[in-house]
Amino acid sequence: MWILVWQTAFELFGRDSYTFKPPLDVLGALWEEVRNGDMLWDLLASLGRVALCFSLAVLSGALLGFLSLTNRWVEWLIGPLILGVQSLPSICWVPMAIITFGLGESAILFVVLIGSVGSITVATRDGLRQVPTTYHRVAATFGASSRQRLFWVSIPAALPVFVSGLKQGWSFAWRSLMAGEVMLKVAGLGHTLTISRENADYPRMFAVMIVLVWVSVLVDRAIFSRLEQHVRARWGLAGR
Amino acid sequence: MNAAAPATSGTPGVSPVQEEHGQDARGGNAHKRDARGTKVRLRGVSKHFESGVGDGAHRFEALRDISFDVADGEFLALVGPSGCGKSTLINVIAGLDKPDAGEVFFEGQPVQGAGPDRLVIFQDHGLFPWLTVQKNVEFGLRVLGLDKQARRERAARYLQMVHLTRFRHSFPFQLSGGMKQRTALARALAVEPQVLLMDEPFAALDPRTRDILHVELQNLWLQTHKTIVFVTHSVEEAVRLSDRIVVMASQPGRVRRIIPVPFPHPRDFLDPELVELRANILKEFEEELEILVKKEGDDDWHLKAGSISARPPRGVDLGLADGI
């Protein structure tokens, strides 16, 4: 149906345009990409990068979030820093990344990491903070050790908030990835996007954009939203 | 120990011999209670809280000089209006809080911290929402280090005791308030604590569910012979369930009187003598209620003497929340 809207728009406005392309051309370009394997490589490259970085972000973010609760200095250091980092749009990190890491993979990894780690850190910290006091008292009255209390009570209780943070972090990671890929010459969807524009291959450009949207929605739906819903349902928070 | 109880008090003496003969398990005498030993002993326990800072700072005396004993197998009620420090006292006995002065002894030893031998059941049940009923009940056992099989068996046994076997795979959000408290009860009993400290466990439930749980708790107590310290603001509840009632006053929190409840168990909740006792205890509260009324109302609001403790149905219930 959207194709119809698109086609109509094209007919009405884009006939003479050099840049606006009709849907059939775009779909044709998409099919071509898929057929000759380029799309696959691009996807793998981009997804691989984001998977790696995001995992790193999750691990370091969780650690940082946890430490900022248990250690006053970490909180003092990290607190305002996280806020600042979060406020800066990912693309603004690219120049600095290039200077520090050169024009390669490392720069992108850095950008993705720094773009998404904030969400995870905040989610971990806030998730653990909002654990109701009653749960802590229950753990205490049953004689649970600190370790038992952390793993059997605090972490499960913090999970809903943490998972929401994961979802948010993912969307930041994906955006950061594209910011990096668009500006740097590495294999991947972002680069293909830029190249298409430079080569005036506009159908291909739009095709890549469609793929980007699809991937983002798919991963969100299939992984993060699912996870979030599952956790919330089990914790009895469904429908809130 | 406040041994003002008369010789025929009928306060609990759990003698296995008596039980075997099918006698009501609580038909002992005062001297039997002494022989059984003291589970908890409080001496001069005081605690205050600070609130505010600087000039506005203000010291609130939650407990002042609390002293009493809890005998083994006894059902002791702590009754008092809001703010009399009942919950604070429970936390202190449990080891969740430290007193500023005085001592708390458990089985002769000073209380160092919280532990499963003095287990607390909280008003908001504190069940973990991510665990099923069965897994919740198994929690304490897991802390104790029991293996899976043993945990499952013990949990099953106690779930059966509270009649929740059918719901063992349900999650807390699927249960009613009464069911959640029964789960909390099973979870507590499963670790077989020496003393059960119950902090207004039924306060959030509707009166009919509470009636059911009163019977349930009474049966469980008769079965398990646990020492129970039960905090409530309902005199009715205390009179139904306990052997002795510690009546507390507020501002500052202190013991007003300790009243024995010399009726045999299991109790007939509608026994007129019980009702009489309740009325008498409510008389104790008139002074407290006058304070409350002064605090929460206009200067010209007074309680007419006898309006609270008058025999039902003429009494005016002003928020002691007996609700029955």
Side-chain angles (χ1 to χ4, degrees):
Chain A
M1 193 220 42
W2 279 111
I3 297 189
L4 277 172
V5 173
W6 188 348
Q7 185 73 30
T8 318
F10 176 72
E11 296 292 333
L12 289 173
F13 308 112
R15 266 287 164 193
D16 298 321
S17 162
Y18 184 43
T19 52
F20 189 25
K21 292 296 167 196
L24 253 85
D25 285 5
V26 173
L27 286 175
L30 183 58
W31 176 241
E32 179 65 36
E33 288 294 305
V34 173
R35 207 169 60 82
N36 67 24
D38 281 348
M39 183 53 62
L40 191 64
W41 285 122
D42 283 349
L43 264 175
L44 278 176
S46 294
L47 283 175
R49 238 174 249 130
V50 78
L52 176 69
C53 289
F54 187 58
S55 312
L56 273 172
V58 169
L59 284 170
S60 49
L63 189 68
L64 272 175
F66 176 71
L67 283 176
S68 85
L69 271 180
T70 55
N71 188 322
R72 238 181 341 133
W73 299 117
V74 174
E75 168 64 26
W76 174 78
L77 202 71
I78 296 287
L81 209 67
I82 290 289
L83 204 62
V85 163
Q86 286 291 86
S87 318
L88 202 64
S90 325
I91 204 159
C92 303
W93 288 107
V94 180
M96 185 191 130
I98 294 177
I99 297 173
T100 319
F101 297 102
L103 285 166
E105 291 281 346
S106 319
I108 300 190
L109 297 182
F110 172 76
V111 171
V112 175
L113 191 67
I114 208 149
S116 53
V117 79
S119 300
I120 313 288
T121 308
V122 168
T124 308
R125 185 190 63 184
D126 290 352
L128 286 173
R129 246 192 216 159
Q130 54 84 49
V131 175
T133 337
T134 308
Y135 295 168
H136 289 305
R137 292 178 144 195
V138 169
T141 198
F142 275 100
S145 67
S146 310
R147 217 184 124 267
Q148 286 170 330
R149 179 145 57 112
L150 176 66
F151 287 107
W152 296 352
V153 179
S154 301
I155 289 182
L159 214 56
V161 175
F162 182 71
V163 168
S164 289
L166 281 183
K167 194 169 148 191
Q168 190 194 49
W170 155 258
S171 72
F172 280 135
W174 186 247
R175 267 158 238 195
S176 309
L177 179 74
M178 284 307 121
E181 284 191 0
V182 159
M183 293 186 70
L184 290 157
K185 289 191 173 344
V186 290
L189 292 167
H191 180 60
T192 309
L193 194 71
T194 317
I195 290 285
S196 318
R197 181 189 64 82
E198 285 172 7
N199 294 344
D201 187 355
Y202 299 120
R204 202 159 135 209
M205 186 180 85
F206 283 113
V208 170
M209 282 169 68
I210 292 177
V211 171
L212 283 173
V213 170
W214 275 352
V215 169
S216 186
V217 169
L218 204 71
V219 171
D220 181 274
R221 282 263 187 84
I223 301 181
F224 294 101
S225 286
R226 258 256 205 99
L227 187 65
E228 192 183 35
Q229 263 159 25
H230 175 81
V231 169
R232 287 179 76 83
R234 185 174 163 122
W235 264 239
L237 298 168
R240 250 187 241 187
Chain B
M1 164 139 52
N2 208 325
T8 53
S9 69
T11 30
V14 180
S15 156
V17 176
Q18 279 186 312
E19 278 179 65
E20 271 176 56
H21 289 128
Q23 270 183 346
D24 134 22
R26 305 291 157 189
N29 301 334
H31 74 267
K32 276 248 164 33
R33 175 172 47 156
D34 291 347
R36 259 183 306 121
T38 310
K39 274 290 190 204
V40 178
R41 170 168 282 151
L42 284 93
R43 288 288 174 272
V45 170
S46 306
K47 187 162 179 71
H48 67 268
F49 292 107
E50 311 275 343
S51 65
V53 274
D55 281 352
H58 132 100
R59 199 187 132 114
F60 163 63
E61 217 178 345
L63 295 171
R64 183 196 286 177
D65 204 26
I66 310 278
S67 302
F68 61 82
D69 289 357
V70 185
D72 186 8
E74 175 175 36
F75 197 123
L76 185 84
L78 292 178
V79 183
S82 308
C84 71
K86 323 188 281 289
S87 291
T88 312
L89 193 54
I90 281 280
N91 288 335
V92 165
I93 299 177
L96 290 167
D97 253 339
K98 270 196 161 60
D100 295 321
E103 296 153 316
V104 187
F105 294 99
F106 173 69
E107 290 185 337
Q109 302 296 327
V111 166
Q112 302 285 17
D117 44 7
R118 286 151 287 126
L119 207 73
V120 184
I121 294 186
F122 300 94
Q123 186 178 335
D124 53 4
H125 60 77
L127 295 178
F128 299 133
W130 59 89
L131 295 177
T132 57
V133 162
Q134 181 172 317
K135 284 272 187 292
N136 260 293
V137 173
E138 287 182 15
F139 176 74
L141 304 171
R142 201 173 162 208
V143 171
L144 287 175
L146 266 68
D147 66 79
K148 210 179 205 165
Q149 188 59 20
R151 288 205 302 259
R152 192 160 301 169
E153 279 171 15
R154 265 237 230 162
R157 186 162 23 117
Y158 284 99
L159 275 173
Q160 196 188 26
M161 245 194 232
V162 297
H163 312 295
L164 277 174
T165 312
R166 188 154 62 103
F167 297 91
R168 66 193 185 285
H169 295 306
S170 302
F171 284 96
F173 76 89
Q174 296 169 307
L175 306 176
S176 73
M179 292 162 88
K180 284 191 263 211
Q181 276 301 17
R182 277 152 63 203
T183 309
L185 214 50
R187 181 174 67 174
L189 290 171
V191 299
E192 294 172 359
Q194 297 296 317
V195 176
L196 213 54
L197 302 163
M198 304 178 77
D199 189 358
E200 302 196 50
F202 307 146
L205 305 173
D206 65 276
R208 300 289 73 83
T209 308
R210 251 197 276 175
D211 288 346
I212 295 174
L213 287 174
H214 287 166
V215 175
E216 185 109 333
L217 183 60
Q218 186 173 240
N219 288 338
L220 283 169
W221 177 59
L222 289 171
Q223 258 184 282
T224 59
H225 313 304
K226 289 269 170 259
T227 310
I228 296 185
V229 179
F230 189 94
V231 170
T232 177
H233 50 230
S234 163
V235 176
E236 175 73 36
E237 221 170 27
V239 157
R240 280 183 179 188
L241 299 170
S242 63
D243 297 316
R244 282 194 305 154
I245 300 179
V246 174
V247 178
M248 292 184 70
S250 63
Q251 290 176 3
R254 61 194 185 283
V255 174
R256 216 191 174 85
R257 274 230 292 158
I258 299 187
I259 301 175
V261 187
F263 303 107
H265 296 267
R267 291 211 178 126
D268 168 15
F269 291 164
L270 298 173
D271 185 345
E273 287 191 23
L274 236 61
V275 176
E276 173 100 24
L277 180 60
R278 171 176 174 260
N280 288 335
I281 297 178
L282 279 174
K283 264 212 190 56
E284 292 283 327
F285 278 107
E286 280 201 346
E287 201 183 298
E288 286 301 319
L289 290 180
E290 185 64 32
I291 296 175
L292 187 75
V293 154
K294 279 253 162 357
K295 188 163 73 127
E296 294 187 356
D298 295 335
D299 287 337
D300 58 356
W301 190 21
H302 295 293
L303 273 188
K304 209 160 58 164
S307 61
I308 300 297
S309 58
R311 295 202 187 355
R314 273 181 297 141
V316 172
D317 201 86
L318 247 193
L320 260 194
D322 280 6
I324 295 160

